[in-house]
Every structure is written in structure tokens, then in C-alpha cells.
């Protein structure tokens, strides 16, 4: 009796499996699971998405930069790019959120050509800065309070629009900032020159701005309107 019951149960289970297979396969034989084909996300161009050349080796155009006021450093493209992005990080530290090594990694130049969004390729040319990308990852929005977004917008406006925020990209990456003008940009040169002047001028530069100033807010809103992807 026990043997017959077990057989009925087994047959019933096998019948259920066969029926399920028929539903999956449209009544035919059970189909083998499809093998997923990963998309090729390797950046193969000689320039990054913003038009800057990608060096063959880090030492050729990049160097380690201090983020003043933080005790932290980041590897960036030397010259005007480093001046602008390091200043942005300093202002982020003062006006948006403190930069601390314990919180995570600050990424500038990187050699890894695997990208999930085209604008991530800007790291390859040393013209991008990501402040804690693991905390503020690609595709996740709403990481900052409104007053922090106001400060970010103010920083971008102060830099004359030569830097774009990843929060305005699609998909968004709110941790990322990158140079948004070509290598020959005179605007970039002028902004960098101004920042270097501020470094030796009392009461100028990071930590001295009133981000609630109506004129500054008006300027930042106008830039945001033009930069949003």
C-alpha cells in the first residue's frame, strides 16, 4: 500500500513538472536556459566623453593634488583641470558634506576602461572627480538635502559652467563632477587663474561664499537650466 501511494505521488509530481515544462516551452520540449550575453562596456576611444585625451600612462599628464582644508589628496590631470576640480572638492567639503577618508574613496584619474555610462570615461583623462561614489552611486538620486543641492549649484555657477554635475546626467550620478569644456577652453583657463589668485588673497575662495545670496541663487538657477541633461 505504501509503495503504490509513493508511486502515485511521484507520478503526480512528474506530471506537474512536465506540464510546467510544456507551459514554458509552448507545448514542446523543455528549453535549455538562455545564456546571458554581457554588454561590452569597455571604453575604446582615445579621448574621454568630454573630448580630452586619455594618457597612455598616469605619469604623463596626471599628478596627486591636495584638497585644501581636508588633509586628503586625489589624482587629477595637472594644470587648470586639477586647480578647478580640487577647488570644487574643497568647497564641497565646506558647503555640502565633509570629506573624510573614513567615509569612502575619492576618485579622480583611473586607468580602468570599464564604464557604465559614457561620462564615467572622463576619469580616464583625469578630468573627472567622484566624491564617495559608493555612497552616491550611479542611478541613485535624492542623496542630498535641498540646501546641499543649492550649495552644489552655487559651486558650479562660481566655476562659470566649466564643470558639470553627474546629478544632471541620465542616468544620474550625484557623486560625480567633470570638466565640461574642451582642452583649449579659454573659460577654463580664466577660471583656474582666478582660483589661483584667490589662494593668495585673504577673504577669497572656499569658505567665504554666502550661497543664499539672491544674485548667486539666480546665477546658479540659470546655469542649472542650461546644464540639465
Amino acid at each position: 500500500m505504501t509503495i503504490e501511494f509513493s508511486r502515485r505521488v511521484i507520478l503526480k509530481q512528474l506530471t506537474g513538472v512536465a506540464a510546467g515544462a510544456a507551459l514554458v516551452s509552448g507545448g514542446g520540449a523543455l528549453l535549455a536556459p538562455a545564456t546571458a550575453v554581457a554588454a561590452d562596456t569597455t571604453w575604446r576611444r582615445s579621448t574621454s566623453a568630454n573630448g580630452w585625451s586619455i594618457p597612455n600612462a598616469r605619469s604623463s599628464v596626471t599628478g596627486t593634488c591636495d584638497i585644501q582644508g581636508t588633509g586628503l589628496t586625489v589624482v587629477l590631470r595637472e594644470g587648470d583641470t586639477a586647480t578647478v576640480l580640487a577647488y570644487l572638492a574643497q568647497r564641497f567639503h565646506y558647503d555640502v558634506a565633509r570629506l573624510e577618508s573614513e567615509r569612502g574613496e575619492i576618485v579622480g584619474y583611473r586607468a580602468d576602461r570599464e564604464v557604465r555610462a559614457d561620462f564615467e570615461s572622463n576619469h580616464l583623462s583625469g578630468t573627472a572627480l567622484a566624491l564617495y561614489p559608493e555612497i552616491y552611486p550611479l542611478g541613485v538620486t535624492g542623496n542630498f538635502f535641498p540646501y546641499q543641492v543649492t550649495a552644489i549649484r552655487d559651486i558650479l555657477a562660481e566655476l562659470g559652467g566649466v564643470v558639470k554635475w553627474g546629478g544632471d546626467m541620465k542616468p544620474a550620478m550625484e557623486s560625480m563632477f567633470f570638466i565640461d569644456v574642451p582642452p583649449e577652453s579659454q573659460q577654463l583657463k580664466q577660471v583656474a587663474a582666478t582660483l589661483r589668485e584667490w589662494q593668495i588673497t585673504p577673504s577669497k575662495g572656499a569658505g567665504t561664499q554666502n550661497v543664499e545670496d539672491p544674485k548667486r541663487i539666480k546665477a546658479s538657477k540659470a546655469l542649472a537650466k542650461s546644464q540639465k541633461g
Side-chain angles (χ1 to χ4, degrees):
M1 187 72 177
T2 303
I3 295 175
E4 291 179 359
F5 179 78
S6 297
R7 286 175 178 172
R8 286 198 297 269
V9 171
I10 291 172
L11 288 172
K12 185 176 181 181
Q13 290 176 336
L14 290 175
T15 301
V17 171
L23 288 173
V24 172
S25 61
L30 181 63
L31 297 177
T35 302
V37 178
D40 184 3
T41 57
T42 303
W43 190 262
R44 303 185 185 281
R45 304 178 198 171
S46 60
T47 59
S48 52
N50 59 358
W52 289 70
S53 63
I54 297 174
N56 293 324
R58 167 187 154 178
S59 59
S60 60
V61 297
T62 61
T64 301
C65 307
D66 293 325
I67 302 175
Q68 293 187 14
T70 69
L72 303 175
T73 61
V74 61
V75 177
L76 295 166
R77 195 180 192 96
E78 292 184 328
D80 296 336
T81 292
T83 298
V84 170
L85 292 180
Y87 176 81
L88 183 150
Q90 183 186 13
R91 275 214 58 193
F92 187 98
H93 174 71
Y94 289 153
D95 299 323
V96 181
R98 288 183 60 83
L99 300 180
E100 300 170 343
S101 59
E102 294 79 9
R103 294 184 63 200
E105 189 176 13
I106 297 174
V107 181
Y109 167 82
R110 75 175 193 202
D112 183 2
R113 283 180 171 263
E114 293 301 310
V115 301
R116 299 160 297 171
D118 284 359
F119 60 84
E120 282 192 309
S121 68
N122 297 326
H123 284 292
L124 298 170
S125 60
T127 60
L129 175 71
L131 305 174
Y132 308 140
E134 293 185 359
I135 298 177
Y136 313 123
L138 180 71
V140 178
T141 59
N143 295 291
F144 297 109
F145 291 108
Y147 77 89
Q148 292 175 304
V149 175
T150 297
I152 289 172
R153 297 291 183 197
D154 183 78
I155 297 169
L156 298 175
E158 185 173 65
L159 296 177
V162 301
V163 175
K164 193 166 186 178
W165 181 33
D168 289 331
M169 302 300 290
K170 294 179 182 178
M173 187 171 181
E174 294 185 340
S175 58
M176 188 169 175
F177 302 86
F178 58 89
I179 299 297
D180 194 37
V181 291
E184 65 276 8
S185 169
Q186 291 301 310
Q187 177 70 1
L188 177 62
K189 295 181 185 298
Q190 292 170 5
V191 169
T194 297
L195 296 179
R196 294 187 188 104
E197 182 68 24
W198 285 355
Q199 290 176 356
I200 58 174
T201 305
S203 71
K204 290 288 187 179
T208 66
Q209 296 82 358
N210 175 15
V211 299
E212 298 297 335
D213 183 286
K215 291 183 179 179
R216 297 181 73 96
I217 290 177
K218 182 178 180 180
S220 64
K221 285 184 176 180
L223 178 63
K225 185 176 181 180
S226 67
Q227 285 192 330
K228 285 183 178 180

